[in-house]
Amino acid sequence: MFSEIIGVKLLALAACMFHSSTVAAISNSSSLSYIPGRYLVEFADETTTSHTFFSTLSEHAISATPFLSLDYSLFKGASFNLHDSGNEKVNIQTIQSLPSVKNIHPVRSYSLPETAGYPVNQVSSFTSVENSAQSDITQDTLSTHVMTGVDKLRSEGYVGEGIKVAIVDTGIDYNHPALGGCFGKGCKVGFGKDLVGDDYTGANTPVPSDDPMDCAGHGTHVAGIIAANSTAPNFTGVAPNVTLGIYRVFGCAGSTADDVLIQAFMMAYDAGADVITASIGIESGWSEEPWAVAVSRIVEAGVPCTVAAGNDGTSGVFMISAAATGHGVTAVASVDNSVTPTLFQNASWSADNTTTSSFGWIPYTPADIDGTYPLFDVLQGSNDTTIACRDNFTIPSIPGKVALIPYIGYCTAGIGIVNKVVAAGSKYIMYYYDTPGTVTFGNGTGYGIDSFGMVSTDVAKKWTKLLAAGSTVSINVTNPAFDNWYAVSTVNNITGGYLSYFTSWGPTFEAEVKPQVAAPGGSILSTYPLKLGGYKIETGTSMATPFVAGSIALLLNTRDKLDPATINNLLSATAKPRSFNDGESTYPYLAPIAQQGGGLLNIYDAVHTVGVLNVSSIGFNDTEHFIKSASFEIKNTGKESVTYAVNYVSTGTVYTLPSNGDPVPSAFSPGAPPEIVTSSAKLTLSPDKVILKAGESASVEVIATPPTDLNASRIPVYGGYITLNGTNSESLSLPYLGVASNLKDANIFDTVDNGVYLSRYFNVSGIPDGFAFTLPPQNSTDEEKTKYDFPVPVAIQSFGSRVLRVDLVPTQSNSTIKTTKVLGVDIAGSIDPFPAYDTGRGAWHSFWYGQFSDGTFAQPGDYYLLLRALKIFGDENSPDDYESVETVSFSLKYGSSNATAAPARRSIGFNA
Ligand SMILES: *[C@@H]1O[C@H](CO)[C@@H](O)[C@H](O)[C@H]1NC(C)=O
Ligand SMILES: *[C@@H]1O[C@H](CO)[C@@H](O)[C@H](O)[C@H]1NC(C)=O
Ligand SMILES: *[C@@H]1O[C@H](CO)[C@@H](O)[C@H](O)[C@H]1NC(C)=O
Ligand SMILES: *[C@@H]1O[C@H](CO)[C@@H](O)[C@H](O)[C@H]1NC(C)=O
Ligand SMILES: *[C@@H]1O[C@H](CO)[C@@H](O)[C@H](O)[C@H]1NC(C)=O
Ligand SMILES: *[C@@H]1O[C@H](CO)[C@@H](O)[C@H](O)[C@H]1NC(C)=O
Ligand SMILES: *[C@@H]1O[C@H](CO)[C@@H](O)[C@H](O)[C@H]1NC(C)=O
Ligand SMILES: *[C@@H]1O[C@H](CO)[C@@H](O)[C@H](O)[C@H]1NC(C)=O
């Protein structure tokens, strides 16, 4: 029973039922949710096996249940549950000291949020689709492929043939005809495994199987972006001939954990995958995160890995997810699709049994409707749509009819009218609206309606006119079938081709350049499990990431062998830097490197570039670790001599923190981005011109002078591109980034907003000084614990911390309470489950019943809690390198085991 919160998650944005569209901000919460008692060890040598390891534990009288056995070429280890919670800390120290153990980490588990279709800036008008062409998305003109040069590379015949792309996700519906219709050797989905089983929740024991079928949907969408070959709707993935591998790490609902994620990546590597991709992330910011370290190791061993940067753009700078944080891992940002596709289902209608005409509708969830149904205009001919909003508005009895309802925001889009339709005896709703994408029904199950759908206003107006004239209008709709779709696209001239405002910003807390490259992720059409409709438009860095993986497969088609570093170098130098767009308008300067990395992927140019750089970015670090002089090489891989002019263009500087002194990084909502100023670093580049004969290389030295007229306390992040314009008309750009402050000075705890305090279980607000707690008796059941008003420390972290301690300190140094000196302070103990490691930004809270992390219990007495967070770049063993906050003091005693009072539980939810 520890802090919530959303951590490892699929990176497609969730939609809300009955809400108009704004991207639901994903809470920026810390990821502290350790699975109680579960640990992952890596073995120190080849000879140790799970078997010998667990025998060694028995020899040391440590009782453990083996969980996963990881016996892979790049990772040998095991995860397990420790039983004796009373001696947990001692046992961990023993395990850590075993010669056979390289390291031990607690295992984290996080929830899986609902994923759903999500439109981006569907502002263009919804034109009539009645009798329209079947589709304007064809194989050769798919907007996302045109945006990125995939179309041109495909026209040269590259389709990913012979390349194995492994996906770590929720599984794949391999029965989908667009994904080959089968699983196993010779199929498009050719290899992989279900590591967890349908019922896996993240906390329970995985039940692996050989069948990686998808019951959640996300993995099937990801797979289609890479490799679909679809006819209705008409589109293909980036590399339709690749062989997909699938490693399923989520059950149908719930969480996954980092031991399972590491296992999945290691299995994919050992299966010979040429590329491994995961649209999953933990809010972290640390490349030291165990899963990120494991992915980095695979990259190091020669297999490129693409991982989603995250959808936390609204949280501002320094918000990159792990494992995208890993060294060498290709962290992928999202760009909005240049068009916004909408999926329609074919249906027909007729008036008074006359000739039928076809029309398109958008089924939502549920859409359980099949047959011919008469329509009923709920406005009954009135022009005044607002009457439907009145409390006294009623609908006459209409059993068996479809209620036709104008969708006008919260009024008729709300649950009120749904209840009136149900009261009128109907089970079917057809909305009409000019901007259909604005309606995003996550899942409307449970409201008494069998089918929700939408048609264009043009079609609806035709119907209401006929109905008003006394005609009977009927629609003939079939239960959504996977083969009956078509897509209609409207040009997105607001955000199309620009960075999606939800895409997470780097750099890492240690100023490593992230993300690497951006790809289309906003409003993406792809496959979905047949049971869930077959196709879906989804949005998120989840969609951008497989796009890059598929593009790397095309790139691998063109060369014999390419190592991951070279791949990143090629992708980055040939990506197209995009102007900054705040979700509403475009600015006259480039988007910061922290948001777009190299810019929008151009895989055609990555394949055909003549000039090849030996780095993918230059990081100047912060002022304390400033890199005074950097260099890179450019090689002419062509057959003719080329002269490159070397220059640079600044992207301006983004202030991490707002101007009002608040230590929490500025949020970013559409139209209100963090402050970006023009002042930036000056670069000296020498030489500023390189003449390269075929096959020749030259080195360019880069000396940066960081901007000095900035407010360092607001943590300015500057950046730009070194540009190389060749006489062969190619333009390469190398991103650079630096932080114009000392990151060690960054505030970890948000004390300015009173974000750190001690609350109690029965009340979220802070306690007064001297509050007397009566804790649950030691070893109470979870249910018994809820009868007691135990302490709940709360903190908002404005920055992440590698080591987060919460220690119990007696108020009187001469008391009889036994203490130990830790980092200069006499503490009674670290409260369970602290210390925590590699914490990200955001809010957390922790229920505390009196137990220390070593399993012992605090003695009754007077105390305060001391929260200490290691500063960025700080030395874990140096007390001065921690930021600390003391709570008010309180007294502790234990209650008797027959407490009766059971007050209402406090509400939970401190997400910043
Ligand atoms: C799909 O695309 C192919 C090739 O461009 C075309 O021949 C076919 O008519 C299209 N089908 C539909 C349903 O649009
Ligand atoms: C894609 O489908 C077309 C026709 O539907 C077929 O000719 C082609 O071989 C398929 N390609 C792949 C890679 O499955
Ligand atoms: C792609 O796959 C299809 C279907 O198997 C095959 O007909 C075609 O030759 C393949 N393309 C290449 C370039 O290998
Ligand atoms: C339409 O056809 C059905 C069945 O053929 C019939 O029952 C119904 O009366 C007809 N409706 C009208 C308005 O003609
Ligand atoms: C509805 O609007 C049309 C056009 O604006 C107008 O001509 C008509 O009189 C209106 N009808 C009613 C019932 O208000
Ligand atoms: C319904 O309420 C509106 C005001 O909200 C009022 O103008 C109208 O007369 C009412 N209609 C009936 C039938 O009571
Ligand atoms: C919708 O919700 C219901 C009930 O919560 C669930 O049974 C069903 O599987 C969900 N459907 C989809 C498509 O998510
Ligand atoms: C409804 O549409 C289906 C599929 O297009 C067709 O088979 C069926 O005959 C239609 N029903 C009527 C009553 O027109």
Side-chain angles (χ1 to χ4, degrees):
M1 275 188 75
F2 186 60
S3 346
E4 11 190 336
I5 303 187
I6 302 169
V8 174
K9 62 190 178 202
L10 296 169
L11 294 170
L13 291 170
C16 306
M17 180 72 190
F18 301 129
H19 281 85
S20 58
S21 73
T22 44
V23 168
I26 300 215
S27 59
N28 53 334
S29 44
S30 309
S31 23
L32 294 172
S33 301
Y34 297 116
I35 300 173
R38 184 158 324 147
Y39 291 87
L40 171 68
V41 290
E42 182 171 4
F43 302 145
D45 53 64
E46 292 280 317
T47 57
T48 306
T49 63
S50 290
H51 185 76
T52 61
F53 170 72
F54 288 111
S55 314
T56 312
L57 291 194
S58 302
E59 284 159 25
H60 286 80
I62 296 172
S63 166
T65 305
F67 197 71
L68 298 180
S69 170
L70 294 99
D71 186 15
Y72 303 101
S73 55
L74 294 179
F75 192 104
K76 295 193 194 308
S79 67
F80 50 89
N81 283 338
L82 284 180
H83 292 160
D84 184 5
S85 66
N87 287 308
E88 189 160 317
K89 193 157 197 183
V90 175
N91 287 340
I92 291 162
Q93 278 162 359
T94 307
I95 295 168
Q96 176 73 79
S97 68
L98 295 173
S100 57
V101 168
K102 187 168 166 188
N103 51 51
I104 177 166
H105 293 287
V107 172
R108 291 172 177 177
S109 162
Y110 306 92
S111 55
L112 164 70
E114 184 184 3
T115 62
Y118 195 83
V120 168
N121 273 285
Q122 176 75 43
V123 287
S124 40
S125 80
F126 179 15
T127 51
S128 171
V129 295
E130 193 179 9
N131 300 321
S132 76
Q134 282 295 290
S135 173
D136 60 359
I137 295 180
T138 59
Q139 188 162 326
D140 304 315
T141 60
L142 191 63
S143 57
T144 54
H145 294 186
V146 173
M147 290 167 76
T148 51
V150 166
D151 59 333
K152 286 202 277 175
L153 206 50
R154 288 274 293 275
S155 72
E156 291 183 356
Y158 299 112
V159 285
E161 180 73 28
I163 305 295
K164 291 159 96 176
V165 180
I167 299 169
V168 176
D169 211 295
T170 62
I172 296 177
D173 182 356
Y174 46 76
N175 288 328
H176 202 300
L179 295 172
C182 59
F183 171 62
K185 211 166 167 17
C187 297
K188 190 189 286 278
V189 186
F191 63 105
K193 201 167 163 61
D194 167 20
L195 278 64
V196 294
D198 284 2
D199 298 331
Y200 178 63
T201 61
N204 56 0
T205 304
V207 182
S209 80
D210 290 331
D211 183 1
M213 177 52 78
D214 183 9
C215 50
H218 188 274
T220 302
H221 202 269
V222 161
I225 291 167
I226 300 172
N229 188 27
S230 167
T231 48
N234 229 353
F235 78 99
T236 66
V238 170
N241 279 46
V242 297
T243 298
L244 293 176
I246 177 65
Y247 294 88
R248 182 186 179 206
V249 295
F250 285 95
C252 295
S255 315
T256 190
D258 45 15
D259 53 349
V260 173
L261 287 166
I262 291 171
Q263 185 182 34
F265 266 77
M266 292 300 161
M267 282 178 132
Y269 175 80
D270 282 358
D274 299 299
V275 187
I276 307 174
T277 189
S279 295
I280 301 171
I282 308 173
E283 282 148 10
S284 162
W286 299 102
S287 46
E288 294 86 350
E289 179 76 38
W291 177 38
V293 170
V295 179
S296 292
R297 193 179 295 173
I298 290 174
V299 172
E300 188 75 9
V303 175
C305 294
T306 52
V307 180
N311 299 334
D312 296 308
T314 56
S315 298
V317 191
F318 290 101
M319 201 61 196
I320 203 90
S321 295
T325 48
H327 303 304
V329 174
T330 309
V332 181
S334 170
V335 159
D336 282 357
N337 198 342
S338 61
V339 301
T340 305
T342 309
L343 271 175
F344 288 88
Q345 188 97 51
N346 267 315
S348 63
W349 66 275
S350 65
D352 301 322
N353 292 351
T354 56
T355 354
T356 58
S357 315
S358 66
F359 75 101
W361 70 294
I362 306 166
Y364 293 109
T365 304
D368 202 357
I369 185 167
D370 200 351
T372 302
Y373 303 80
L375 291 172
F376 178 77
D377 173 14
V378 296
L379 297 181
Q380 298 187 65
S382 171
N383 272 8
D384 182 3
T385 53
T386 64
I387 60 167
C389 311
R390 293 183 192 147
D391 290 343
N392 60 12
F393 178 74
T394 55
I395 303 172
S397 177
I398 49 166
K401 294 192 178 181
V402 174
L404 193 58
I405 303 176
Y407 189 92
I408 48 173
Y410 283 96
C411 164
T412 54
I415 191 67
I417 199 140
V418 171
N419 290 336
K420 287 178 186 178
V421 169
V422 172
S426 169
K427 288 178 178 307
Y428 313 109
I429 288 179
M430 189 69 89
Y431 292 106
Y432 56 97
Y433 196 41
D434 286 335
T435 52
T438 308
V439 187
T440 53
F441 287 167
N443 185 346
T445 305
Y447 294 91
I449 295 291
D450 285 352
S451 173
F452 288 101
M454 177 167 279
V455 292
S456 72
T457 296
D458 299 25
V459 172
K461 281 274 144 72
K462 236 174 251 178
W463 295 340
T464 53
K465 215 167 147 188
L466 285 160
L467 289 166
S471 295
T472 301
V473 180
S474 295
I475 56 173
N476 177 12
V477 288
T478 48
N479 204 348
F482 64 85
D483 59 352
N484 204 18
W485 295 96
Y486 63 98
V488 171
S489 297
T490 44
V491 172
N492 176 355
N493 46 28
I494 305 293
T495 61
Y498 297 106
L499 274 291
S500 309
Y501 81 84
F502 60 78
T503 194
S504 293
W505 294 48
T508 67
F509 292 125
E510 291 164 335
E512 189 163 325
V513 181
K514 295 282 172 181
Q516 269 56 57
V517 71
S523 290
I524 305 299
L525 164 67
S526 188
T527 45
Y528 217 58
L530 297 178
K531 279 187 190 148
L532 301 175
Y535 290 92
K536 197 160 192 181
I537 317 275
E538 289 221 76
T539 283
T541 50
S542 274
M543 284 67 242
T545 304
F547 196 97
V548 175
S551 301
I552 290 173
L554 298 181
L555 173 60
L556 291 173
N557 259 178
T558 69
R559 312 275 171 96
D560 278 347
K561 184 75 194 148
L562 276 176
D563 61 275
T566 305
I567 290 170
N568 279 342
N569 300 344
L570 290 170
L571 297 186
S572 182
T574 57
K576 305 301 170 224
R578 302 298 298 157
S579 290
F580 183 60
N581 179 291
D582 67 6
E584 290 180 353
S585 51
T586 306
Y587 291 64
Y589 45 80
L590 294 170
I593 303 303
Q595 189 191 30
Q596 71 169 329
L600 175 59
L601 172 78
N602 191 301
I603 197 64
Y604 182 84
D605 287 354
V607 165
H608 291 284
T609 182
V610 162
V612 174
L613 309 186
N614 71 338
V615 296
S616 60
S617 60
I618 294 177
F620 291 112
N621 214 324
D622 69 351
T623 50
E624 186 66 23
H625 306 86
F626 181 60
I627 309 288
K628 291 189 185 67
S629 163
S631 67
F632 67 92
E633 267 177 31
I634 174 165
K635 178 172 187 180
N636 175 359
T637 63
K639 295 196 167 61
E640 277 149 33
S641 162
V642 183
T643 302
Y644 289 94
V646 186
N647 216 319
Y648 74 100
V649 53
S650 162
T651 60
T653 297
V654 58
Y655 273 123
T656 304
L657 305 182
S659 57
N660 63 5
D662 196 308
V664 177
S666 301
F668 177 8
S669 58
E675 187 180 342
I676 300 173
V677 294
T678 50
S679 180
S680 192
K682 301 220 171 351
L683 300 194
T684 309
L685 300 157
S686 53
D688 61 5
K689 186 162 133 186
V690 288
I691 303 163
L692 297 176
K693 292 205 187 90
E696 273 183 359
S697 303
S699 181
V700 176
E701 190 185 35
V702 186
I703 294 173
T705 314
T708 52
D709 55 343
L710 295 168
N711 181 348
S713 68
R714 291 179 62 194
I715 315 182
V717 179
Y718 61 86
Y721 294 94
I722 295 166
T723 57
L724 298 117
N725 290 320
T727 46
N728 58 352
S729 79
E730 83 183 3
S731 312
L732 304 175
S733 47
L734 176 64
Y736 62 88
L737 175 148
V739 179
S741 69
N742 182 354
L743 280 169
K744 201 170 174 183
D745 296 338
N747 270 89
I748 311 289
F749 289 124
D750 178 14
T751 47
V752 171
D753 299 310
N754 292 321
V756 184
Y757 60 93
L758 183 58
S759 73
R760 57 197 177 96
Y761 183 56
F762 293 165
N763 194 319
V764 285
S765 28
I767 56 166
D769 199 23
F771 190 86
F773 283 106
T774 303
L775 300 180
Q778 294 173 17
N779 305 320
S780 302
T781 63
D782 281 353
E783 207 205 319
E784 283 160 2
K785 283 173 183 163
T786 63
K787 296 175 182 166
Y788 291 85
D789 197 6
F790 48 79
V792 181
V794 174
I796 296 173
Q797 279 184 228
S798 38
F799 260 75
S801 179
R802 289 209 56 206
V803 183
L804 174 66
R805 305 187 59 90
V806 183
D807 296 326
L808 186 71
V809 186
T811 45
Q812 290 159 316
S813 53
N814 61 352
S815 78
T816 56
I817 294 161
K818 196 173 138 254
T819 59
T820 336
K821 201 176 265 315
V822 174
L823 295 164
V825 180
D826 293 317
I827 68 164
S830 288
I831 74 165
D832 183 54
F834 295 94
Y837 299 93
D838 300 330
T839 62
R841 283 171 45 196
W844 55 262
H845 64 265
S846 182
F847 294 164
W848 187 56
Y849 315 109
Q851 196 169 23
F852 291 131
S853 292
D854 66 3
T856 61
F857 280 82
Q859 287 172 248
D862 295 327
Y863 299 96
Y864 62 91
L865 289 178
L866 173 62
L867 285 79
R868 285 184 283 186
L870 184 63
K871 296 181 199 176
I872 292 170
F873 292 125
D875 170 0
E876 186 174 342
N877 300 312
S878 162
D880 290 348
D881 284 358
Y882 286 80
E883 193 179 303
S884 29
V885 179
E886 293 175 9
T887 67
V888 294
S889 56
F890 53 90
S891 70
L892 283 187
K893 64 172 182 181
Y894 293 90
S896 60
S897 55
N898 55 358
T900 48
R905 289 182 67 123
R906 58 188 257 131
S907 66
I908 304 168
F910 298 115
N911 296 351

